[in-house]
Amino acid sequence: MIDLHSHLLPGLDDGPKTLQESLFLAHSAAKEGIEIIYATPHHLRAPFDNGRDKVIEAVVQFNIHLRKAGIPLQVRAGQEIRVCPELIQEAYSGQLLPLEGTSYVLLELPSSSIPDFLEDTLHELAVLGWTPILAHPERNREIADNPELLRPLVESGALCQITSHSLTGVFGTRTELAALNICRKGLAHFIASDAHDAVKRPFQLRAAYEKVEKRLGTSWKSTYIENARKLAAGQQIDNISPIARSMSMSKLFGWMARAK
Ligand SMILES: [Fe+2]
């Protein structure tokens, strides 16, 4: 499996504090069946400040420690970038880091509402050639109440990542239902762990995929797994998934049949 969102590196944010804790978390990732993981420490979210060079160096060092410890996991660099007014200035100053080997940037929305400058921010990122992946939109209250708010963002090119714990119910029924709802509407593209530690915030990636398969069907599960594989292979991901497209086509045909 491939995990595109995690807090794995030691001492950079609210993930593991020590190298030992990070290695323990990496070991549990490998045990879960994860082969490639993107380390995405918080950036532009006070008090965390993890600019491009700092993360790249930490990933190089951590991969050396993994090899020494014999843990079969490949770590790639990234950031979880808070959507804030300073984001674009930061992008132009070279401090932002797309997921390694891709043009995708992982963005974190505030938990309460959608900032009114979000659209402008996404536009500026597009000018730079970057495609946004919105991390856990189901944890944003405004979107959880009305997932359709995501549709114009997805239609203009943004992708969405649902967190495994949201699907497995760790964050409560409301978040679980919101996550399933976003998936069902064809507005989600990936599932990732957002793991912070091996005990309270472990991976649960396999359990989340099983939940999707049980509640939405095997084709959705396969799409999410395939999208993560494509991302890791440096390929582009369709913002409107083939299943979502066939869903809207069948709705259209249903409407045409009823109108006859
Ligand atoms: Fe995160």
Side-chain angles (χ1 to χ4, degrees):
M1 286 188 292
I2 290 151
D3 190 0
L4 58 92
H5 181 172
S6 74
H7 300 266
L8 182 65
L9 299 171
L12 291 193
D13 61 4
D14 53 350
K17 287 187 178 56
T18 65
L19 176 62
Q20 279 314 105
E21 287 175 16
S22 286
L23 288 171
F24 186 61
L25 187 58
H27 175 69
S28 73
K31 228 167 82 184
E32 168 121 1
I34 295 167
E35 295 144 295
I36 297 174
I37 188 165
Y38 291 83
T40 53
H42 290 290
H43 184 51
L44 297 181
R45 180 174 152 183
F48 309 120
D49 178 27
N50 292 300
R52 181 189 177 88
D53 297 344
K54 188 174 172 184
V55 178
I56 291 173
E57 179 55 25
V59 166
V60 168
Q61 293 305 322
F62 191 60
N63 274 316
I64 293 170
H65 286 296
L66 284 176
R67 281 199 296 277
K68 273 189 198 157
I71 298 171
L73 185 68
Q74 184 192 134
V75 181
R76 296 184 183 179
Q79 290 167 326
E80 181 178 14
I81 306 157
R82 182 74 163 205
V83 174
C84 62
E86 298 77 30
L87 190 150
I88 293 305
Q89 190 191 339
E90 191 82 353
Y92 281 102
S93 72
Q95 285 306 306
L96 297 191
L97 181 62
L99 298 178
E100 188 177 325
T102 81
S103 57
Y104 293 104
V105 279
L106 185 66
L107 302 184
E108 181 191 38
L109 294 170
S111 57
S112 53
S113 58
I114 301 174
D116 53 10
F117 52 83
L118 177 64
E119 248 179 81
D120 289 347
T121 303
L122 300 188
H123 174 76
E124 287 290 333
L125 290 174
V127 170
L128 285 162
W130 290 343
T131 303
I133 298 176
L134 301 177
H136 42 68
E138 74 281 6
R139 302 190 67 192
N140 172 285
R141 219 170 302 141
E142 216 176 323
I143 294 171
D145 289 343
N146 182 10
E148 282 300 322
L149 292 172
L150 284 176
R151 196 170 297 280
L153 302 175
V154 169
E155 285 177 352
S156 62
L159 304 177
C160 296
Q161 171 257 306
I162 303 294
T163 289
S164 56
H165 289 80
S166 303
L167 287 163
T168 57
V170 172
F171 298 132
T173 310
R174 187 179 164 188
T175 305
E176 181 182 343
L177 292 176
L180 285 167
N181 210 2
I182 292 169
C183 291
R184 213 174 263 128
K185 285 173 176 289
L187 297 170
H189 304 83
F190 307 99
I191 297 173
S193 74
D194 195 8
H196 281 65
D197 71 71
V199 181
K200 287 188 207 137
R201 295 278 299 271
F203 294 93
Q204 292 199 345
L205 206 46
R206 198 172 289 282
Y209 281 132
E210 280 167 13
K211 181 74 167 275
V212 165
E213 185 169 34
K214 195 169 152 209
R215 298 293 294 271
L216 306 172
T218 306
S219 52
W220 278 117
K221 174 188 161 187
S222 308
T223 298
Y224 298 142
I225 291 174
E226 178 62 10
N227 282 349
R229 190 202 62 75
K230 276 185 176 173
L231 180 132
Q235 297 166 0
Q236 288 300 113
I237 291 122
D238 200 351
N239 56 326
I240 312 291
S241 79
I243 315 177
R245 202 167 273 140
S246 70
M247 274 163 46
S248 48
M249 287 304 279
S250 55
K251 263 190 203 163
L252 176 68
F253 288 136
W255 177 83
M256 283 164 68
R258 283 193 300 277
K260 276 184 185 169

mmCIF file of all heavy atoms in Angstrom, residues 5-7 13-14 40 42 45 80 106 108 135-136 161 194-196 201, ligand 1:
data_model
loop_
_atom_site.group_PDB
_atom_site.id
_atom_site.type_symbol
_atom_site.label_atom_id
_atom_site.label_comp_id
_atom_site.label_asym_id
_atom_site.label_seq_id
_atom_site.Cartn_x
_atom_site.Cartn_y
_atom_site.Cartn_z
ATOM 1 N N HIS A 5 -0.103 10.620 3.377
ATOM 2 C CA HIS A 5 -0.205 11.655 4.420
ATOM 3 C C HIS A 5 0.143 11.027 5.775
ATOM 4 O O HIS A 5 -0.589 10.163 6.271
ATOM 5 C CB HIS A 5 -1.657 12.193 4.426
ATOM 6 C CG HIS A 5 -1.909 13.270 5.427
ATOM 7 N ND1 HIS A 5 -3.095 13.971 5.459
ATOM 8 C CD2 HIS A 5 -1.173 13.777 6.444
ATOM 9 C CE1 HIS A 5 -3.084 14.850 6.435
ATOM 10 N NE2 HIS A 5 -1.909 14.751 7.064
ATOM 11 N N SER A 6 1.259 11.477 6.363
ATOM 12 C CA SER A 6 1.628 10.960 7.683
ATOM 13 C C SER A 6 2.539 11.948 8.405
ATOM 14 O O SER A 6 3.173 12.797 7.780
ATOM 15 C CB SER A 6 2.368 9.625 7.547
ATOM 16 O OG SER A 6 3.686 9.866 7.073
ATOM 17 N N HIS A 7 2.576 11.803 9.707
ATOM 18 C CA HIS A 7 3.463 12.617 10.549
ATOM 19 C C HIS A 7 4.459 11.647 11.183
ATOM 20 O O HIS A 7 4.233 11.142 12.278
ATOM 21 C CB HIS A 7 2.640 13.402 11.569
ATOM 22 C CG HIS A 7 1.662 14.309 10.886
ATOM 23 N ND1 HIS A 7 1.937 15.630 10.611
ATOM 24 C CD2 HIS A 7 0.448 14.048 10.332
ATOM 25 C CE1 HIS A 7 0.915 16.162 9.934
ATOM 26 N NE2 HIS A 7 0.001 15.214 9.759
ATOM 27 N N ASP A 13 6.894 18.003 14.345
ATOM 28 C CA ASP A 13 5.548 18.548 14.592
ATOM 29 C C ASP A 13 4.874 17.767 15.724
ATOM 30 O O ASP A 13 5.551 17.354 16.668
ATOM 31 C CB ASP A 13 4.722 18.566 13.293
ATOM 32 C CG ASP A 13 4.515 17.174 12.695
ATOM 33 O OD1 ASP A 13 4.942 16.182 13.316
ATOM 34 O OD2 ASP A 13 3.913 17.085 11.609
ATOM 35 N N ASP A 14 3.580 17.550 15.641
ATOM 36 C CA ASP A 14 2.882 16.821 16.706
ATOM 37 C C ASP A 14 2.892 15.303 16.476
ATOM 38 O O ASP A 14 2.112 14.581 17.081
ATOM 39 C CB ASP A 14 1.436 17.339 16.848
ATOM 40 C CG ASP A 14 0.676 17.327 15.527
ATOM 41 O OD1 ASP A 14 1.302 17.094 14.461
ATOM 42 O OD2 ASP A 14 -0.549 17.530 15.546
ATOM 43 N N THR A 40 4.636 14.006 5.798
ATOM 44 C CA THR A 40 4.052 15.323 5.514
ATOM 45 C C THR A 40 3.889 16.131 6.805
ATOM 46 O O THR A 40 2.769 16.317 7.300
ATOM 47 C CB THR A 40 2.682 15.159 4.808
ATOM 48 O OG1 THR A 40 1.862 14.268 5.602
ATOM 49 C CG2 THR A 40 2.824 14.580 3.428
ATOM 50 N N HIS A 42 3.474 19.173 9.428
ATOM 51 C CA HIS A 42 2.726 20.436 9.330
ATOM 52 C C HIS A 42 3.651 21.567 8.928
ATOM 53 O O HIS A 42 4.776 21.672 9.416
ATOM 54 C CB HIS A 42 2.104 20.785 10.689
ATOM 55 C CG HIS A 42 0.994 19.873 11.080
ATOM 56 N ND1 HIS A 42 -0.223 19.868 10.443
ATOM 57 C CD2 HIS A 42 0.908 18.937 12.051
ATOM 58 C CE1 HIS A 42 -1.010 18.964 11.010
ATOM 59 N NE2 HIS A 42 -0.353 18.376 11.983
ATOM 60 N N ARG A 45 1.562 26.111 10.107
ATOM 61 C CA ARG A 45 0.582 25.977 11.191
ATOM 62 C C ARG A 45 1.353 26.129 12.503
ATOM 63 O O ARG A 45 2.082 25.219 12.917
ATOM 64 C CB ARG A 45 -0.103 24.607 11.107
ATOM 65 C CG ARG A 45 -1.115 24.401 12.194
ATOM 66 C CD ARG A 45 -1.865 23.119 11.980
ATOM 67 N NE ARG A 45 -2.326 22.586 13.234
ATOM 68 C CZ ARG A 45 -2.973 21.443 13.362
ATOM 69 N NH1 ARG A 45 -3.221 20.696 12.310
ATOM 70 N NH2 ARG A 45 -3.365 21.022 14.533
ATOM 71 N N GLU A 80 2.289 19.021 4.941
ATOM 72 C CA GLU A 80 0.854 19.301 5.041
ATOM 73 C C GLU A 80 0.769 20.804 5.274
ATOM 74 O O GLU A 80 1.113 21.299 6.352
ATOM 75 C CB GLU A 80 0.203 18.525 6.198
ATOM 76 C CG GLU A 80 -1.286 18.787 6.284
ATOM 77 C CD GLU A 80 -1.982 18.009 7.397
ATOM 78 O OE1 GLU A 80 -1.288 17.456 8.286
ATOM 79 O OE2 GLU A 80 -3.218 17.959 7.393
ATOM 80 N N LEU A 106 -0.157 18.945 -0.688
ATOM 81 C CA LEU A 106 -1.171 18.537 0.296
ATOM 82 C C LEU A 106 -1.541 19.748 1.156
ATOM 83 O O LEU A 106 -0.689 20.298 1.858
ATOM 84 C CB LEU A 106 -0.607 17.406 1.165
ATOM 85 C CG LEU A 106 -1.545 16.764 2.177
ATOM 86 C CD1 LEU A 106 -2.677 16.006 1.473
ATOM 87 C CD2 LEU A 106 -0.780 15.803 3.092
ATOM 88 N N GLU A 108 -4.054 21.727 4.041
ATOM 89 C CA GLU A 108 -4.938 21.509 5.189
ATOM 90 C C GLU A 108 -5.830 22.730 5.395
ATOM 91 O O GLU A 108 -5.337 23.853 5.559
ATOM 92 C CB GLU A 108 -4.093 21.281 6.449
ATOM 93 C CG GLU A 108 -4.934 21.017 7.681
ATOM 94 C CD GLU A 108 -4.121 21.056 8.959
ATOM 95 O OE1 GLU A 108 -3.213 21.911 9.069
ATOM 96 O OE2 GLU A 108 -4.401 20.252 9.850
ATOM 97 N N ALA A 135 -6.512 17.834 2.249
ATOM 98 C CA ALA A 135 -6.432 16.785 3.272
ATOM 99 C C ALA A 135 -7.717 16.787 4.103
ATOM 100 O O ALA A 135 -8.224 17.842 4.470
ATOM 101 C CB ALA A 135 -5.234 17.033 4.183
ATOM 102 N N HIS A 136 -8.213 15.617 4.367
ATOM 103 C CA HIS A 136 -9.401 15.375 5.212
ATOM 104 C C HIS A 136 -10.471 16.478 5.199
ATOM 105 O O HIS A 136 -10.760 17.086 6.245
ATOM 106 C CB HIS A 136 -9.017 15.027 6.653
ATOM 107 C CG HIS A 136 -7.906 15.845 7.255
ATOM 108 N ND1 HIS A 136 -8.055 17.170 7.539
ATOM 109 C CD2 HIS A 136 -6.654 15.517 7.634
ATOM 110 C CE1 HIS A 136 -6.932 17.625 8.066
ATOM 111 N NE2 HIS A 136 -6.062 16.634 8.129
ATOM 112 N N GLN A 161 -8.484 14.035 -0.138
ATOM 113 C CA GLN A 161 -7.985 12.867 0.603
ATOM 114 C C GLN A 161 -8.786 12.682 1.878
ATOM 115 O O GLN A 161 -8.863 13.592 2.696
ATOM 116 C CB GLN A 161 -6.496 13.066 0.929
ATOM 117 C CG GLN A 161 -5.911 12.036 1.879
ATOM 118 C CD GLN A 161 -5.748 12.573 3.288
ATOM 119 O OE1 GLN A 161 -5.120 13.607 3.478
ATOM 120 N NE2 GLN A 161 -6.319 11.898 4.294
ATOM 121 N N ASP A 194 -2.845 9.849 7.814
ATOM 122 C CA ASP A 194 -2.589 10.996 8.698
ATOM 123 C C ASP A 194 -2.107 10.494 10.068
ATOM 124 O O ASP A 194 -2.425 11.074 11.106
ATOM 125 C CB ASP A 194 -3.870 11.852 8.843
ATOM 126 C CG ASP A 194 -3.598 13.224 9.441
ATOM 127 O OD1 ASP A 194 -2.424 13.592 9.605
ATOM 128 O OD2 ASP A 194 -4.582 13.935 9.752
ATOM 129 N N ALA A 195 -1.353 9.373 10.038
ATOM 130 C CA ALA A 195 -0.883 8.771 11.298
ATOM 131 C C ALA A 195 0.041 9.729 12.048
ATOM 132 O O ALA A 195 0.872 10.407 11.443
ATOM 133 C CB ALA A 195 -0.140 7.470 10.995
ATOM 134 N N HIS A 196 -0.128 9.753 13.373
ATOM 135 C CA HIS A 196 0.713 10.596 14.232
ATOM 136 C C HIS A 196 1.524 9.763 15.226
ATOM 137 O O HIS A 196 2.586 10.165 15.643
ATOM 138 C CB HIS A 196 -0.144 11.592 15.028
ATOM 139 C CG HIS A 196 -0.578 12.787 14.242
ATOM 140 N ND1 HIS A 196 -1.430 12.712 13.168
ATOM 141 C CD2 HIS A 196 -0.268 14.109 14.380
ATOM 142 C CE1 HIS A 196 -1.639 13.943 12.676
ATOM 143 N NE2 HIS A 196 -0.938 14.800 13.397
ATOM 144 N N ARG A 201 -3.020 7.347 17.148
ATOM 145 C CA ARG A 201 -3.335 7.683 15.747
ATOM 146 C C ARG A 201 -2.560 6.758 14.806
ATOM 147 O O ARG A 201 -1.719 7.218 14.033
ATOM 148 C CB ARG A 201 -2.979 9.144 15.446
ATOM 149 C CG ARG A 201 -3.791 10.194 16.196
ATOM 150 C CD ARG A 201 -5.144 10.468 15.551
ATOM 151 N NE ARG A 201 -5.077 10.980 14.212
ATOM 152 C CZ ARG A 201 -5.006 12.284 13.895
ATOM 153 N NH1 ARG A 201 -4.970 13.183 14.815
ATOM 154 N NH2 ARG A 201 -5.000 12.662 12.621
HETATM 155 FE FE FE B 1 -1.948 15.574 8.966
#
